[in-house]
Amino acid sequence: MPESTKTIHWVGDLDGCCRLIDQTLLPGECKEIDCTDSACMWDAIKRLAVRGAPAIGVAAAFGVILGIRGSKAGDRDAFLADLKQTTDYLASSRPTAVNLFWALDRMNRVAHAATDLDVAALKQRLFEESKAIWDEDREMCRALGRHGQTLLADGETALTHCNAGGLATADYGTALAVFFAAQEHGKTIAVFADETRPLNQGSRLTAWELQNAGIDVTVICDSMAGQVMKEGRIHKIFVGADRIAANGDTANKIGTYSVSVLAKEHGIPFYVVAPTSTFDLKSPDGDAIPIEERDASEINRGFSELNTPEGVAFYNPAFDVTPHEHVAAIVTECGIIERPDTSKILDHFRENGLLAEEGS
Amino acid sequence: MPESTKTIHWVGDLDGCCRLIDQTLLPGECKEIDCTDSACMWDAIKRLAVRGAPAIGVAAAFGVILGIRGSKAGDRDAFLADLKQTTDYLASSRPTAVNLFWALDRMNRVAHAATDLDVAALKQRLFEESKAIWDEDREMCRALGRHGQTLLADGETALTHCNAGGLATADYGTALAVFFAAQEHGKTIAVFADETRPLNQGSRLTAWELQNAGIDVTVICDSMAGQVMKEGRIHKIFVGADRIAANGDTANKIGTYSVSVLAKEHGIPFYVVAPTSTFDLKSPDGDAIPIEERDASEINRGFSELNTPEGVAFYNPAFDVTPHEHVAAIVTECGIIERPDTSKILDHFRENGLLAEEGS
């Protein structure tokens, strides 16, 4: 496992601590924080020291452990009250993060379900659950990498957009998992990373992760991707996803759609790498996915002094939707969906037992 | 004429001064400099207070006037020696700028050809020549605008990349001339301006020019152009050119090629606006045009603190080539070449008397 993407993990037993990379200091400095109480974790989530949906879920679960392991509750009910106080507190750190609530709910449910355990055993049971959440996230990343790396041959060069990397997960990411796994399989690969304006997740985070792993990485401006493809330098394209509709239309960081059009023009396979949890089967296609519009300050003041005239208008869509016709395959933790459409995606879910509620 | 793009002009008679916008202060501050001697002009060219090929040519010509108008030469030969000293001096300000040498040569040739003039008359003759250079550049811009604006209807929205604007010329630019001219024809238009990484000529200069002219302008990151086209917001695309091959393949600021691919995908007409002097008929196609590669610091330190890991690789091509098949038309000062190819471009030059040497 690449040491470079130990985004978040637990050190030691129940008396240990949660160690995480302070991502606000990247790429200038890679400093780890040892959180020993829930206030430290609350602060880390709040100020984006830990970010990315899966990583936030893991952070929340570990934050619960930090909050309740010192509970002086004499009985189960008192302990559950302490637990609720901790989860309510952690929930206030980033109220819009879906994975935060998902993880806190899961911890509460486990505690309530374990009616036969005393306080000491409950603490241990929750500790095991937090590590299970971490483990599942790692397993998901590994499975994505395992399947995805079959699509990238020794000696090939890939292009990626934004940061679908280890820094957003407990392990080595989604799209970037493909590169790490290819390297582990002994393949020599190279990666072009779009800088990914306006917030530069490509040049700041993807470049940092790949450089640390010893993978040949070259940063380009987003506007250069077409030229690099035209020069014949790119064999495959791998991106992550924020949300995938039932037909395979994929919402991801703004600019992904343009990359998919350029890939089509140059006949380069364009792959989406994302866990099945990213699919929103209730959205029939990309038109059902709303595009978040964000503040102009990300463009005209991001990482710099004001560099545009005062008062000029901006348009700053945070995401775009890539039509499934542009997608050569979607890689999930269960395998590969070639030339995805609604029928193939449903088959994939069915074959992997992910449509349990079907017919009920 | 839009007051906002008085990039460079002469104020008064031979005893007057050259007034120019200090572009190093844009868009934060629009300050004009009055150059009254050649040292001031040398400095303005050197430190890029005036930039853009046509504008540099005009600056050089006015710089010659500032240098020789005070000449104490008693006869023609002594004056020509003073003139050579001035042009040699100005030539050292930016030794790679082709238009600088073109203008200085033209001023020297005019003086040497005027064998019947005394010193006072020579000074006046050179002054007229400098104003002719300025006038020709303005005429070129106006003609580009006049022809180009016929392609943009009232109520339409255009997209442009980089700054093919007045700040690079003595008047109102090349691609941007289309927008200024459309406005003068009473059309209400809107423009999306790509910010144009890495040096942000779009967000810094194009946005400034259009905002000053009262044209509705919205800045987007380069990666957002595809999304904006997909949303149906763009009717036409207008860009400038650094060099156009005989078949219409067009070298322009990096990212232009990607815009052309996106335009093709969305069925949006893509227009190149450039004077005939931009054509390089000796290059049969775009493959003959070398792509300048520039320093990584433009990407990772441009307008900001270092925002990438130390030591990471960069690729920074300054230009790309758009194949002529992507170009709906090239607008020159002589008219419009629809669906350009080698034969149509040669016809355009022949019909406008620009192939005088043919057959000789």
Side-chain angles (χ1 to χ4, degrees), chain A residues 46 63 130 136 259 280 312:
Chain A
K46 174 79 175 177
S130 70
E136 288 164 22
V259 172
D280 173 12
V312 81

Side-chain angles (χ1 to χ4, degrees), chain B residues 56 152 173 210 253 275 295 306 321 330 359:
Chain B
I56 287 174
L152 189 60
L210 296 177
K253 180 63 58 195
D295 198 76
L306 181 69
V321 174
I330 299 176

Side-chain angles (χ1 to χ4, degrees), chain A residues 65-78:
Chain A
I65 302 307
L66 296 173
I68 56 86
R69 66 181 173 182
S71 166
K72 301 276 186 282
D75 60 27
R76 204 171 165 283
D77 283 347

Side-chain angles (χ1 to χ4, degrees), chain A residues 197 231 257 266 303-304 315, chain B residues 195 231 257 266 303-304 315:
Chain A
R197 289 278 293 146
E231 292 173 8
Y257 168 65
H266 296 92
F303 310 108
S304 70
Y315 175 52
Chain B
E195 81 176 334
E231 291 173 8
Y257 168 65
H266 296 91
F303 310 107
S304 71
Y315 175 53

Side-chain angles (χ1 to χ4, degrees), chain A residues 264-299:
Chain A
K264 190 176 82 163
E265 171 79 9
H266 296 92
I268 301 170
F270 179 94
Y271 299 112
V272 173
V273 187
T276 49
S277 59
T278 309
F279 285 76
D280 173 12
L281 298 183
K282 291 190 184 71
S283 291
D285 57 40
D287 292 341
I289 301 178
I291 303 292
E292 178 192 6
E293 197 176 335
R294 293 173 61 87
D295 198 76
S297 63
E298 292 184 348
I299 302 180

